[in-house]
Amino acid sequence: MLKPALRLSLVLTAALSLTACATTSTTGPVAEAPTPLDGWSQRVQVQSEADEIRLAAHATGLSGNQARALSDFHVRWMQAEGGVITIAAPRDSGQDAGAYRVSADARSFLVSLGAPTDRVRLVGYDAGGDRQAPIVVGYERYVAVAPTCGGWSTMTATFKNDPHAGFGCAIAANTAAQVANPEDLVRGRNMDPADPNRRATVLEKYRKGQTTGSARDPQGTGTISQAIQ
């Protein structure tokens, strides 16, 4: 017969075992550590900077040189897929009429080149009586700054089966150098609007039980020639 002390010990052990089996973990999933490639890609810095040109105020409006400068500016804006273009005209400069004339002409000229009207804005700033205060035309663009790679001397100085310290740096640097629009590294692009006409055609065919796909082009079929060339 078991002694009372031993019997109590066995009961407590069994109870603790059942409690452990019924206990559920309260911790969430453990996030995996980033790979060396992920670590280097996170070191690519995307910075915003202003691309600006400055135009002098003229009572006669936009000059030929200013129009050519705006044309080059518009090309850069298109290539950078820039956002809102701001035309800042000086106030209280002593040449308010000329500044307004050049600002209005600059906006009309940019719109004529293809810039949407809602993305070319006229604003003002206090010139503090400076007669040389320019009209500032600019937009914010993004620049990708690549990490600095190096330290290749440690590639063989290891006793572990781990990648060397610079593994992945070249890939990150090449990505930063080749990306067309660094803003894509910051946020995704908006989806293009759907084609309502095509959608209506597909739904109409579906309701009639017809094939919703486009008709097959007969020129898209063919056979492999068996002739000896």
Side-chain angles (χ1 to χ4, degrees), residues 55 57 86-93 95-104 106 121-128 133-137:
L55 308 176
T86 302
I87 303 176
R91 295 191 303 264
D92 299 330
S93 64
Q95 299 192 59
D96 292 357
Y100 176 79
R101 178 71 181 275
V102 172
S103 300
R121 300 177 182 175
L122 283 173
V123 298
Y125 72 93
D126 186 7
I135 296 95
V136 182
V137 184

Side-chain angles (χ1 to χ4, degrees), residues 51-72:
D51 185 355
E52 297 178 342
I53 61 173
R54 299 174 182 270
L55 308 176
H58 297 296
T60 56
L62 201 67
S63 68
N65 289 335
Q66 291 174 338
R68 285 186 288 272
L70 282 173
S71 296
D72 295 339

Side-chain angles (χ1 to χ4, degrees), residues 179-201:
V179 62
N181 186 357
E183 188 178 2
D184 293 337
L185 302 178
V186 179
R187 64 180 63 87
R189 302 195 182 194
N190 297 328
M191 294 183 62
D192 293 334
D195 185 356
N197 295 329
R198 178 59 185 167
R199 179 169 52 190
T201 300

